[in-house]
Amino acid sequence: AQKITQTQPGMFVQEKEAVTLDCTYDTSDQSYGLFWYKQPSSGEMIFLIYQGSYDEQNATEGRYSLNFQKARKSANLVISASQLGDSAMYFCAMRTGGFKTIFGAGTRLFVKA
Amino acid sequence: DAGVTQSPTHLIKTRGQQVTLRCSPKSGHDTVSWYQQALGQGPQFIFQYYEEEERQRGNFPDRFSGHQFPNYSSELNVNALLLGDSALYLCASIVWGSWANEQFFGPGTRLTVL
């Protein structure tokens, strides 16, 4: 069965510090993609970063980086230099064959001034 | 370049009624997926449409049905509404075959069933 697990319901981080949001996944497929989305209180899902299962290097997008450890089936999101606007829900997601995307339960991030 | 649009923004229905939600994909996209997001949870995949056919379906009852039109826009229909159908309904679009790319989400329709 395919599954995404996010074990941190809520996280606090001080402004300008880095934070790591955990994500583990389970799939028997060899080819898959891992995504992170940000969802502010407005509800819209905002794409942050993508990692393909065959990508050898960790993905980076500005202040976001994905720590991909294939053997451990983990895909943690690292946000550097946190900003107040980073306060939101963060979802880890996985897509295998086709476009069906499986989401985790999410982590709510609170950035403190 | 218009992104994914959804209508209406909010909707209030009573149990047993039927509802239709609408989605227009991002320009150039031909595949639409629908997700249900209950309060405090992650989105759950309902189904996906390409070439006016349902291609994949999640674990949702037949009360949930959809349609895709020749212009790639899509509708989600829910019959015999239950209280548990109250949720944010998200539509996402992508180009068929480019499954490694990001899918773009609309702002969602918040459905409340009383």
Side-chain angles (χ1 to χ4, degrees):
Chain A
Q2 297 173 345
K3 188 178 180 180
I4 293 285
T5 302
Q6 294 181 255
T7 58
Q8 306 155 313
M11 289 280 289
F12 286 87
V13 64
Q14 196 68 37
E15 192 179 10
K16 300 181 184 179
E17 292 186 349
V19 63
T20 298
L21 306 184
D22 294 341
C23 172
T24 58
Y25 61 92
D26 188 20
T27 180
S28 57
D29 291 345
Q30 297 301 310
S31 181
Y32 51 88
L34 296 161
F35 300 79
W36 277 91
Y37 289 89
K38 172 184 178 181
Q39 188 177 44
S41 56
S42 61
E44 189 167 357
M45 300 289 283
I46 302 170
F47 165 79
L48 297 178
I49 196 166
Y50 164 80
Q51 179 86 40
S53 58
Y54 294 116
D55 294 341
E56 295 185 352
Q57 291 193 335
N58 288 340
T60 59
E61 290 286 349
R63 295 187 298 110
Y64 305 106
S65 61
L66 198 152
N67 184 1
F68 181 47
Q69 298 190 39
K70 195 171 183 177
R72 295 185 176 185
K73 293 189 174 180
S74 74
N76 297 339
L77 176 70
V78 180
I79 304 175
S80 62
S82 296
Q83 303 171 356
L84 295 178
D86 294 335
S87 293
M89 282 290 290
Y90 288 81
F91 291 98
C92 179
M94 176 173 63
R95 186 185 305 157
T96 57
F99 293 135
K100 177 180 179 179
T101 303
I102 299 169
F103 286 81
T107 295
R108 181 167 294 280
L109 178 66
F110 299 91
V111 180
K112 300 181 291 183
Chain B
D1 179 19
V4 179
T5 60
Q6 293 185 244
S7 63
T9 304
H10 296 88
L11 206 51
I12 299 175
K13 292 286 188 178
T14 57
R15 281 179 297 174
Q17 286 189 313
Q18 178 265 345
V19 68
T20 297
L21 310 182
R22 296 176 176 81
C23 170
S24 291
K26 179 178 170 61
S27 177
H29 288 187
D30 56 10
T31 303
V32 172
S33 298
W34 286 92
Y35 294 83
Q36 180 196 65
Q37 186 177 19
L39 194 62
Q41 298 182 20
Q44 300 290 317
F45 176 79
I46 303 175
F47 44 52
Q48 171 198 106
Y49 276 84
Y50 169 66
E51 289 187 334
E52 302 179 45
E53 289 187 12
E54 183 183 294
R55 299 291 177 163
Q56 284 187 297
R57 188 178 183 93
N59 188 25
F60 279 81
D62 291 344
R63 299 187 296 110
F64 289 78
S65 63
H67 188 77
Q68 186 179 35
F69 300 93
N71 67 352
Y72 309 124
S73 66
S74 176
E75 288 182 349
L76 164 65
N77 300 294
V78 186
N79 294 322
L81 285 167
L82 303 174
L83 295 179
D85 294 332
S86 294
L88 179 68
Y89 288 84
L90 294 165
C91 169
S93 72
I94 200 167
V95 175
W96 181 264
S98 62
W99 71 272
N101 292 346
E102 68 169 294
Q103 56 185 336
F104 288 81
F105 283 85
T109 294
R110 189 165 296 281
L111 172 65
T112 302
V113 182
L114 302 177

